[in-house]
Amino acid sequence: MTRASVVGAGMTKFGVHDRPLQELFGEAAFEAFDDAGVEPADVESFYFGNAMGGQTENDTHLAPKLASHVGIAGVPAQRYEDACATSANAFKNAVQAVEAGIHDVVLVGGVERCTPQTGLDTAEMTRIFASASHRQYEQPTGLTFPGVFALLTKRHMHEHGTTPEHLAHVAVKNHEHGTRNPRAHFGKETTVEAVLEGPIVADPFRLMDCCPFSDGAAAVVLVSDEVADSYDAPVDVTGIGHATDVVPIGDKLTPHVTQAARDASAQAYEQAGITAADVDFAEVHDCFTGAEVMASEAIGLIEDGQGGPAAAEGRTSYDGDIPINASGGLKAKGHPIGATGAAQIVELTEQIRGEAGARQLDEAEYGVAHNLGGDAATTLVTVMEGRR
Amino acid sequence: MSSDLPERLTYGEWTRALKEGRLLGQACGACANVLGTPKGACPHCGTRDLETVELPTSGEVYTETTVMVPPEGVEERGYQVAVVQVGEARVMGRVDGNGGEVHVDIGDSVELTGYIKGEGDDPAPLFRPAD
């Protein structure tokens, strides 16, 4: 059943952007307005995501600032923060609002600037990212975010025999996909050998197992089912699941299964009336290569324990049987934290409309987005379909 | 020993015990899970029926990583962080690497050897390979 429909999508190139948050967000929002054919006066509310602006650039209370910049001052505007799942959560709340009949047309999006070129250096950003781990029971160990996912991935490797080569294949695949995406932060291919020769960040992750710090913004115009047919190319949201897991890692029952993703995807598939077998393609949260392996299993696209081999065998490639991260994913497209969830929705929209250019997939009827936050303790899974 | 255990385990009690070389956790009276860090209610079933328990100070490495790119404020690099299974609970700590000479793998036996001070002097358990 349709819960809401995306009728306009926009995003900036991800990479380095030396301009203020409102101007960066404005580019994505105006593109989404123009794509939808809406005017600011049509927009009834603003659901916005930014994770770390207060910490990184002393910039808070951003929702009304950005609303003012894009011509929608006056509407109710709210900001969400759930680490890397920030704008997926904004999107979920927007879906619920239009589904409930509170609004018919809303703007949803996110923005973040994370690059050393426009903000803080790597050590400072590493500290800020680590603020999403438990303040009392994890941060004092010196744990970093690559370290968080390294802990989960190491246990997955121990349980299932996942290897560093498997992980490297995820990076190689997503970089190859990124060459097809003009908005990707990295548009250059790499090799398994190059990945395995990179410097270690937090073992088993080497530099190329990790997504970059990016600047960028993404936005969509979301409308109610009732009014969707009056727009040119609506793409329906038929399921959106949202679950959380226990923090800290030590108190999770089985950390590497990423239970929140299993719970969120089960909710999303049930709402959409589909199973994982019906999914044609997915955008998953590959902040680190091991995260993609665990996500591909948790949302049911690959059998448990086979996420690594599936990437190595090409099953999750652009031309494989279940393409994952055709956009390049966080790994190659980039990861401006608060924009990432919305950018996944932009990619699903473009693929389902058949507007994805050089990365267009042959079969893109049912798309899934998986956006996680923190140590996988927040996960949202969204199912989108073309309107028939 | 159990008579001196706090009825409601707090961060303050947990850190005080850690500084004495002890690990305190909570046993859930409803779902039987054991927690390695204090909560107000069981995260698995929601009950507030949590009994403070003394955890073993030795156990097995559940998972581990070596951090080569540290956050701002941490001067060293190449330190090992591990989640250690202590009895029925797990706690995260630092491994005493003795200047990079010591490394532990999943399944290795380790024991609590003290604590390190993190940001703001907040303590974290420090483990070393068991004899």
Side-chain angles (χ1 to χ4, degrees):
Chain A
M1 194 191 81
T2 299
R3 300 191 58 188
S5 298
V6 173
V7 297
M11 64 180 278
T12 66
K13 180 176 169 37
F14 285 180
V16 178
H17 290 285
D18 192 10
R19 48 193 160 129
L21 291 173
Q22 68 272 16
E23 293 179 15
L24 192 56
F25 182 74
E27 180 185 331
F30 291 137
E31 189 181 321
F33 285 171
D34 293 347
D35 181 42
V38 301
E39 297 296 329
D42 302 325
V43 175
E44 299 167 24
S45 189
F46 179 31
Y47 291 82
F48 168 68
N50 172 263
M52 306 181 306
Q55 291 160 284
T56 55
E57 39 195 319
N58 198 35
D59 207 351
T60 59
H61 202 213
L62 282 160
K65 292 177 185 170
L66 271 53
S68 298
H69 188 77
V70 301
I72 57 171
V75 303
Q78 43 271 306
R79 171 206 170 183
Y80 293 83
E81 185 274 307
D82 282 284
C84 305
T86 283
S87 55
N89 197 9
F91 184 73
K92 182 202 78 169
N93 279 275
V95 168
Q96 292 176 333
V98 300
E99 182 180 41
I102 298 168
H103 304 298
D104 276 325
V105 181
V106 302
L107 176 66
V108 190
V111 65
E112 202 93 43
R113 297 200 309 162
C114 307
T115 61
Q117 291 89 338
T118 61
L120 306 175
D121 67 26
T122 297
E124 291 171 314
M125 282 305 288
T126 298
R127 176 177 174 276
I128 288 172
F129 281 127
S131 70
S133 62
H134 200 289
R135 179 66 190 85
Q136 283 77 40
Y137 307 119
E138 295 183 323
Q139 290 180 35
T141 67
L143 186 66
T144 60
F145 249 79
V148 165
F149 281 88
L151 290 170
L152 304 187
T153 301
K154 272 284 188 78
R155 188 70 198 185
H156 188 278
M157 297 168 88
H158 175 79
E159 297 278 350
H160 298 296
T162 309
T163 66
E165 288 75 15
H166 291 148
L167 301 179
H169 276 284
V170 173
V172 170
K173 168 183 72 75
N174 289 351
H175 273 262
E176 198 278 330
H177 292 174
T179 65
R180 301 165 182 272
N181 187 348
R183 292 176 304 205
H185 193 159
F186 295 140
K188 202 172 70 175
E189 292 192 34
T190 187
T191 64
V192 168
E193 293 71 28
V195 175
L196 293 175
E197 284 169 7
I200 292 173
V201 174
D203 81 305
F205 299 143
R206 295 173 183 272
L207 183 62
M208 295 287 281
D209 287 291
C210 307
C211 70
F213 298 136
S214 309
D215 305 332
V220 297
V221 175
L222 186 78
V223 304
S224 62
D225 186 25
E226 290 73 27
V227 305
D229 279 331
S230 60
Y231 294 87
D232 283 343
V235 176
D236 292 339
V237 179
T238 53
I240 182 161
H242 180 185
T244 56
D245 199 353
V246 177
V247 181
I249 294 169
D251 287 324
K252 292 187 201 312
L253 291 178
T254 313
H256 70 272
V257 305
T258 61
Q259 187 61 41
R262 290 168 195 260
D263 296 344
S265 59
Q267 294 167 20
Y269 296 154
E270 185 183 357
Q271 291 165 24
I274 66 168
T275 69
D278 297 315
V279 174
D280 293 316
F281 71 103
E283 289 287 308
V284 310
H285 197 91
D286 58 328
C287 46
F288 303 95
T289 51
E292 177 171 315
V293 168
M294 291 183 284
S296 65
E297 297 172 11
I299 65 174
L301 302 183
I302 303 290
E303 313 85 88
D304 278 337
Q306 295 302 305
E313 292 160 10
R315 290 177 58 197
T316 55
S317 293
Y318 166 82
D319 54 359
D321 58 86
I322 178 68
I324 293 180
N325 287 328
S327 69
L330 283 60
K331 178 76 245 322
K333 184 178 64 185
H335 186 25
I337 310 297
T340 286
Q344 290 181 328
I345 302 300
V346 172
E347 178 70 14
L348 261 52
T349 301
E350 294 185 352
Q351 288 284 356
I352 290 168
R353 284 175 171 175
E355 295 174 352
R359 66 186 188 287
Q360 180 63 49
L361 300 167
D362 287 341
E363 301 216 5
E365 192 177 341
Y366 293 97
V368 167
H370 159 283
N371 186 203
L372 70 73
D375 60 351
T378 291
T379 306
L380 289 106
V381 174
T382 305
V383 178
M384 295 177 70
E385 306 172 23
R387 178 162 280 242
R388 282 176 286 274
Chain B
M1 195 74 183
S2 64
S3 60
D4 72 336
L5 292 177
E7 187 173 332
R8 173 59 62 187
L9 186 62
T10 62
Y11 175 61
E13 302 278 5
W14 187 86
T15 53
R16 194 169 309 129
L18 175 60
K19 290 176 177 178
E20 294 169 357
R22 300 159 64 204
L23 291 173
L24 297 185
Q26 291 171 313
C28 179
C31 73
N33 279 295
V34 182
L35 311 171
T37 58
K39 306 284 186 300
C42 176
H44 303 296
C45 74
T47 182
R48 279 178 264 175
D49 177 17
L50 296 173
E51 181 194 359
T52 303
V53 293
E54 190 96 30
L55 299 172
T57 54
S58 59
E60 262 188 19
V61 175
Y62 179 80
T63 188
E64 52 76 29
T65 185
T66 300
V67 176
M68 297 301 293
V69 180
E72 180 192 28
V74 177
E75 295 306 320
E76 60 178 312
R77 59 181 58 223
Y79 52 86
Q80 197 171 15
V81 175
V83 176
V84 178
Q85 184 86 40
V86 283
E88 294 174 72
R90 299 186 197 114
V91 294
M92 184 181 290
R94 184 80 77 85
V95 176
D96 184 356
N98 194 23
E101 287 178 23
V102 173
H103 176 91
V104 296
D105 290 314
I106 291 175
D108 285 356
S109 295
V110 295
E111 60 190 14
L112 188 71
T113 182
Y115 65 96
I116 59 155
K117 287 180 182 175
E119 191 173 338
D121 283 348
D122 297 335
L126 184 66
F127 292 94
R128 69 178 178 200
D131 295 331

